[in-house]
Amino acid sequence: MKSNCTMKVISLYFLVIVGITCADDDKVRYDGYRLYKVHVTDDTKLELLHTMRDSDGYAFWERPRVNYTADVMISPEKLQEFMQIANTSELEPELMMENVQKYIDDENPRRNVRGNFDWLGYHRLDVIYRWLDSLVTQHPEIVKPVTGGSSYQGRSIRGVKLSYKEGNPGVFIEGGIHAREWISPAVVTYILNELILSDDSRIRYMAESYDWYIFPVFNPDGYEYTHTTNRLWRKTRRPTRGGCIGADPNRNWNFHWADGGTSPFPCSEIYPGDKPFSETETRTMSEYIDSIHEKIFAYIAFHSYSQLLLIPYGHTNKRVYNYNDLFQIGNYSANALSKRYGTKYRVGNIVDIIYVASGGSMDWVRGTYNTPITFTYELRDTGRNGFILPANQIIPTAEETMDSLVAMFEQTAKLGYGAS
Ligand code: 0X9
Ligand code: ZN
């Protein structure tokens, strides 16, 4: 990763001429970085990929696991080494991106966003928060502002409670816990908008049957950082140890904390923090969730990418008591999702269908309160664009996800969950 900080110093002398480009020059760039998909067909290949993990110049967008594919980003400096390893060990990597920076540049075309909030581009935090304010102003009877928690750098973690009838069973929607997964806040805001404005009868019925607690950006420091500095940042922004910054906010919750799928190295993408709830974001949001836990029967988290609908837990493949119901609801939901654009999702237990990942928010909710309906979406795509999903896919992704959510809650109700 190269940051052109020296440019900034030079620009002090030529402030008028180059000053305007300064802000952009401080951005981490991914020129010549490549993204490869590799098929992990056996343990030898897995071991090999594990040796690359946490080493400079290799970044796993999707972690390796036997019988699955992994996506790995390679720096230009490590390319030759990687190709050599690949040749001698028959990795047969499939080139997905020739130049990651190009995908970043093309992802979110700059537009004049003066008018209404929209889903034609990815928005900064302040734009999202102003939109939440406007919803409260326009629909004061049904939309109440909620500050659920705060971040290390002092930002609020804001959301809304949408309620047409006090005492409805509650559904909690979490977005943006991983900073770089921009499609998550985009889809969560779309869902909120539909719940308020859609005139589709099934959506109206769903919207008015539940109380909705909706938080589009759980990790605001990280989210802002992906806009200002490093598009591929995942974690929080609190300095930890050894000059490293941030913990994985989806490994930091106090349920089976650091019980698999984490790394003790503070610079790792999956560093779980120094202790459970070491991060301001997870601690404060857990306190908020604790204050409303009796009202919620469903907790749905949105991540990207891989097109999966995940059922807890992430530390064990032992099934939760209502796994069969969740599996049935999940399949029904994934089936509805595929109808509009043919997008295929896989449904199952986290450990079974991706990898071990302990200390996640959904697992904490489920493990602490026994909340019966808990799902995590991994939204589009399957690696063509990965985290850098072009903005013109926001609306189709959001539409199909909304289809699946409607089906999810119809099926949930049929099975008797959430009856008020
Ligand atoms: O590793 C993760 O945290 C999630 N995948 S992602 O590529 N978006 O980072 C999987 C979430 C698993 N969820 C829980 N363990 N609750
Ligand atoms: Zn994620």
Side-chain angles (χ1 to χ4, degrees):
M1 283 177 272
K2 284 200 193 70
S3 174
N4 297 337
C5 295
T6 47
M7 277 286 287
K8 194 177 173 187
V9 179
I10 296 163
S11 73
L12 288 176
Y13 297 97
F14 306 102
L15 201 59
V16 180
I17 306 161
V18 292
I20 299 162
T21 58
C22 247
D24 259 14
D25 288 344
D26 277 345
K27 279 194 177 173
V28 173
R29 295 188 57 87
Y30 291 91
D31 298 297
Y33 280 63
R34 289 186 172 192
L35 184 71
Y36 282 101
K37 196 175 270 301
V38 289
H39 295 260
V40 191
T41 45
D42 54 42
D43 283 319
T44 323
K45 290 200 172 87
L46 181 71
E47 281 309 308
L48 187 70
L49 293 166
H50 274 165
T51 58
M52 295 173 186
R53 236 179 27 182
D54 290 324
S55 85
D56 268 0
Y58 295 97
F60 280 89
W61 285 19
E62 283 299 314
R63 277 176 282 288
R65 197 183 162 180
V66 174
N67 290 332
Y68 290 85
T69 57
D71 295 338
V72 58
M73 183 176 72
I74 321 277
S75 74
E77 293 76 21
K78 286 290 168 81
L79 193 58
Q80 216 187 351
E81 178 188 285
F82 175 74
M83 291 321 279
Q84 255 161 19
I85 300 174
N87 279 339
T88 46
S89 43
E90 290 165 21
L91 264 188
E92 293 170 29
E94 195 184 324
L95 183 63
M96 303 303 284
M97 294 185 192
E98 173 100 46
N99 178 9
V100 171
Q101 186 60 43
K102 168 106 178 76
Y103 284 74
I104 294 175
D105 294 342
D106 295 345
E107 174 191 29
N108 194 24
R110 259 178 220 202
R111 295 169 312 118
N112 258 337
V113 215
R114 296 228 178 281
N116 292 336
F117 190 79
D118 64 33
W119 288 269
L120 301 171
Y122 296 104
H123 301 298
R124 295 288 293 267
L125 187 72
D126 63 329
V127 175
I128 296 175
Y129 282 179
R130 273 205 300 278
W131 178 70
L132 293 181
D133 287 336
S134 76
L135 295 178
V136 175
T137 312
Q138 285 162 27
H139 311 277
E141 299 304 316
I142 50 168
V143 184
K144 309 278 182 234
V146 188
T147 297
S150 53
S151 72
Y152 169 73
Q153 292 173 339
R155 295 185 174 89
S156 295
I157 301 176
R158 294 187 50 194
V160 297
K161 178 181 176 190
L162 169 67
S163 174
Y164 289 86
K165 181 161 65 72
E166 203 43 52
N168 266 338
V171 178
F172 194 104
I173 306 263
E174 168 203 301
I177 200 167
H178 284 144
R180 64 190 171 189
E181 297 165 13
W182 283 6
I183 189 62
S184 164
V187 163
V188 168
T189 51
Y190 183 95
I191 292 169
L192 171 57
N193 193 60
E194 286 289 291
L195 291 172
I196 298 170
L197 293 181
S198 170
D199 51 21
D200 175 285
S201 62
R202 291 168 73 198
I203 295 180
R204 287 266 45 83
Y205 184 77
M206 173 170 86
E208 293 170 25
S209 303
Y210 303 108
D211 284 354
W212 300 87
Y213 299 84
I214 301 185
F215 291 81
V217 189
F218 254 47
N219 177 7
D221 295 352
Y223 186 69
E224 277 300 277
Y225 192 71
T226 58
H227 282 269
T228 59
T229 313
N230 183 351
R231 175 64 189 87
L232 294 175
W233 190 257
R234 167 182 169 96
K235 302 189 286 178
T236 56
R237 289 297 302 161
R238 188 175 69 85
T240 55
R241 284 183 284 123
C244 304
I245 295 192
D248 183 343
N250 209 37
R251 298 288 185 281
N252 189 238
W253 297 67
N254 191 13
F255 179 74
H256 284 268
W257 178 78
D259 186 9
T262 59
S263 162
F265 302 114
C267 282
S268 162
E269 300 271 40
I270 48 171
Y271 179 60
D274 322 321
K275 55 178 187 201
F277 291 143
S278 58
E279 304 310 288
T280 316
E281 295 78 0
T282 54
R283 192 182 67 250
T284 55
M285 283 312 292
S286 74
E287 285 161 8
Y288 173 67
I289 295 167
D290 186 63
S291 75
I292 56 154
H293 79 267
E294 283 176 345
K295 300 179 181 166
I296 62 168
F297 82 104
Y299 189 97
I300 319 287
F302 288 88
H303 288 249
S304 73
Y305 59 94
S306 286
Q307 296 174 195
L308 306 169
L309 196 47
L310 302 171
I311 297 169
Y313 289 111
H315 67 282
T316 173
N317 63 3
K318 236 182 95 201
R319 293 179 169 182
V320 291
Y321 76 86
N322 65 340
Y323 179 87
N324 289 345
D325 285 356
L326 291 175
F327 190 64
Q328 192 198 323
I329 295 165
N331 277 313
Y332 194 80
S333 184
N335 189 43
L337 189 148
S338 71
K339 289 275 152 60
R340 200 183 278 259
Y341 297 111
T343 311
K344 295 266 175 296
Y345 269 56
R346 286 187 296 127
V347 183
N349 171 276
I350 295 166
V351 175
D352 286 342
I353 69 168
I354 40 169
Y355 42 65
V356 174
S358 62
S361 54
M362 166 177 83
D363 298 24
W364 177 80
V365 171
R366 173 79 197 204
T368 309
Y369 305 114
N370 229 343
T371 308
I373 303 298
T374 45
F375 285 103
T376 292
Y377 280 79
E378 293 284 352
L379 298 166
R380 284 194 198 184
D381 54 17
T382 54
R384 168 86 323 280
N385 302 278
F387 301 116
I388 317 170
L389 194 70
N392 64 13
Q393 288 200 44
I394 297 174
I395 291 177
T397 305
E399 287 171 335
E400 68 193 13
T401 309
M402 195 67 204
D403 295 340
S404 81
L405 209 62
V406 171
M408 176 181 283
F409 281 96
E410 285 177 356
Q411 196 60 16
T412 295
K414 262 196 201 128
L415 294 180
Y417 291 97
S420 47

